[in-house]
Amino acid sequence: MDKATEAQGSDAVYWDPYRPDIGENPYPTFRRLREEAPLYYNQAYDFYALSRFADIETHLGDIETFSSARSDILEFIKEDIDIPKGMFIWEDPPLHTVYRNVVARVFTPKRMNDLENQIREYCARCLDPLVGAERIDFIADLGAKLPGGVIGMLLGIPDEERDVVRERVEAALRTETGKPMDVSQATYQGEGYEDYLDWRAKNPSDDLMTTLLGVEFKDETGTTRKLTREEVLIFVNVIAGAGNETTSRLIGWTGKILGDHPEQRRQIAADPGLIPAAIEEILRFEPPGPAVARYVTKDVEIRGQTVPAGSAILFLLASANRDEERFPDGDSFNVHREGPPHITFGRGIHSCLGSALARVEGRVALDEILKRFPDWTVDTQGAKLSSSSSTRGWDTMPAYTR
Ligand code: HEM
């Protein structure tokens, strides 16, 4: 009996991404996976999973074997849905290379860092009215607003439209508790952006949408051309889809983790120079996207077992981030941690294009929160974990501001 099959025995480790009792705290299960079944097979949902840092780092880079062309979300891979051209997060080279290069040219770290002051003002507008309040909610009051607001800033979308965008994207990713995602509800085409795009085409500015409409690139046939209207809409949808819920979760986790570690929170409040390290440690400790999935294009041997062509495999980033071989005392939150970086933004050709933006948002949000609320206690009863299977985090994160 091979190890992957053996793991199905009665006292063998069991993990699935839909069980709320496991999802509440998956880390003891991840530890067991790393120790007992580093290549794990889940029979109920028919997928493999890798949980050790070194395995994930090695195999995520093997893009010929582990394809993104059927999506990086398990449910989508299993359904073999049609993916429109231009959804570069779910494409392999050469198309991925062409499209990512175009987006990377216009979606620059400089453009993101230039937003810092606007992000700060946005946080102040959200938080100032709460000063003096007994309770705040890290999600409702900031996490749910800021990422959509920032994507709106990037694209040049007026404030009033921004919440609509976020709600649509979140609704598409939501799962019913204990069940896989309903892929029929997914949206890709950037609905809701069309009117704005047409208006922007006639009213150019210095925003990302205008830049995308004007950029010239060499496509996969070698033709130099501009992006089509459909391609721009899909790009915008990829960016909004990838950057909204994830960053909202980061803000929720910031509230939760620093609520649970008041000593460290006080140190950060006393020395804001610790904020960047705190955000990195929060990202390691509770990654908003706990896993990425891939489709296996050919038989591959991992840890002495064959993973057959046609399988789906999950790379458990959240487990890798706690792997003791990489992160000594990995289950402890420590803002003074030194050592190698986490894998929360993925690795290789698909690694997060918005990581600089997510970091700016996380840093500025924490700074502005601490300036107004240096102390808080999480209202554990009122906090509600989300039922999404592609991101992990809080739908509500209320706290008492002492
Ligand atoms: C804390 C927040 C975030 C986390 C944890 C996160 C995580 C990730 C991860 C793990 C991937 C790799 C997916 C894969 O390998 O299949 C990814 C890709 C991506 N992310 Fe992020 N992300 C965050 C924020 C953002 C933001 C703010 C944006 C943009 C506004 C963004 C845009 C993208 C894009 C466009 C890709 C696809 C890159 C490609 O396929 O070449 N992300 N992100």
Side-chain angles (χ1 to χ4, degrees):
M1 188 166 27
D2 64 29
K3 285 221 177 59
T5 315
E6 205 181 320
Q8 303 303 309
S10 59
D11 58 351
V13 53
Y14 179 77
W15 178 72
D16 86 43
Y18 312 114
R19 280 250 309 258
D21 56 331
I22 302 178
E24 264 172 38
N25 177 10
Y27 295 104
T29 311
F30 287 161
R31 175 183 287 276
R32 286 192 62 193
L33 287 178
R34 291 195 299 275
E35 286 168 3
E36 298 167 37
L39 172 66
Y40 174 72
Y41 177 64
N42 179 301
Q43 215 159 35
Y45 294 101
D46 182 28
F47 67 84
Y48 289 83
L50 285 176
S51 46
R52 290 195 185 173
F53 196 106
D55 289 345
I56 290 177
E57 197 171 41
T58 305
H59 296 291
L60 205 49
D62 176 4
I63 52 170
E64 287 184 4
T65 309
F66 300 104
S67 165
S68 292
R70 291 197 188 198
S71 154
D72 68 347
I73 297 177
L74 183 62
E75 292 92 325
F76 284 38
I77 294 177
K78 304 296 294 178
E79 287 291 319
D80 191 13
I81 48 152
D82 283 337
I83 293 171
K85 200 170 150 221
M87 246 351 250
F88 60 96
I89 190 167
W90 295 346
E91 270 165 354
D92 292 332
L95 272 181
H96 171 265
T97 320
V98 169
Y99 285 129
R100 173 153 174 145
N101 286 347
V102 182
V103 181
R105 256 167 59 203
V106 300
F107 196 68
T108 54
K110 180 178 182 313
R111 193 186 282 273
M112 297 177 220
N113 287 319
D114 283 351
L115 290 178
E116 176 157 346
N117 285 342
Q118 280 189 64
I119 294 174
R120 211 170 273 287
E121 282 162 21
Y122 192 98
C123 289
R125 280 208 301 279
C126 293
L127 298 173
D128 277 345
L130 303 169
V131 172
E134 275 178 24
R135 266 165 72 101
I136 56 168
D137 187 320
F138 284 85
I139 299 297
D141 295 326
L142 192 61
K145 297 176 184 171
L146 179 67
V150 171
I151 288 162
M153 285 171 207
L154 262 177
L155 295 172
I157 297 178
D159 277 358
E160 321 75 82
E161 308 269 325
R162 290 176 188 165
D163 280 353
V164 179
V165 173
R166 180 185 53 77
E167 279 159 19
R168 205 191 47 247
V169 172
E170 280 199 14
L173 291 176
R174 187 78 3 111
T175 50
E176 216 176 300
T177 304
K179 289 189 181 162
M181 184 190 305
D182 178 359
V183 295
S184 65
Q185 299 301 312
T187 58
Y188 321 106
Q189 308 285 353
E191 297 102 278
Y193 292 111
E194 289 95 332
D195 292 348
Y196 170 64
L197 180 143
D198 294 337
W199 179 80
R200 251 308 161 230
K202 290 185 205 120
N203 300 276
S205 170
D206 61 352
D207 55 76
L208 186 70
M209 185 69 100
T210 307
T211 316
L212 282 171
L213 284 164
V215 72
E216 286 204 335
F217 74 109
K218 201 179 267 188
D219 71 12
E220 74 284 6
T221 67
T223 310
T224 299
R225 63 173 176 90
K226 288 190 175 174
L227 293 165
T228 64
R229 182 175 182 275
E230 284 62 39
E231 284 169 332
V232 173
L233 284 172
I234 288 171
F235 281 9
V236 169
N237 202 45
V238 172
I239 291 169
N244 242 313
E245 187 157 322
T246 44
T247 314
S248 165
R249 302 265 175 256
L250 169 62
I251 294 169
W253 281 119
T254 301
K256 168 77 173 127
I257 297 169
L258 296 184
D260 289 348
H261 297 86
E263 283 304 315
Q264 297 193 52
R265 186 187 64 230
R266 281 177 208 124
Q267 285 177 27
I268 303 163
D271 176 8
L274 284 172
I275 288 176
I279 292 298
E280 288 315 298
E281 180 65 349
I282 291 166
L283 285 164
R284 179 194 73 84
F285 198 65
E286 290 289 6
V292 293
R294 294 291 189 262
Y295 177 74
V296 180
T297 60
K298 53 185 181 222
D299 287 4
V300 56
E301 190 156 309
I302 303 178
R303 296 197 161 268
Q305 317 292 317
T306 301
V307 176
S311 306
I313 187 163
L314 278 171
F315 293 85
L316 302 179
L317 307 179
S319 168
N321 276 348
R322 304 257 187 135
D323 188 335
E324 297 280 331
E325 282 188 15
R326 193 80 170 204
F327 303 101
D329 200 16
D331 281 329
S332 299
F333 178 78
N334 176 7
V335 293
H336 303 290
R337 182 177 288 279
E338 288 176 356
H342 57 71
I343 198 163
T344 297
F345 291 119
R347 275 288 190 283
I349 64 164
H350 287 282
S351 67
C352 182
L353 206 54
S355 57
L357 186 58
R359 286 181 162 119
V360 177
E361 289 183 56
R363 280 195 278 107
V364 172
L366 177 54
D367 194 17
E368 296 301 316
I369 290 166
L370 286 172
K371 276 184 200 159
R372 292 163 181 83
F373 310 102
D375 267 324
W376 67 83
T377 311
V378 169
D379 168 11
T380 317
Q381 296 299 314
K384 193 169 165 291
L385 205 58
S386 163
S387 63
S388 162
S389 63
S390 60
T391 65
R392 182 166 173 274
W394 301 91
D395 275 345
T396 58
M397 181 42 65
Y400 299 102
T401 62
R402 278 173 291 170

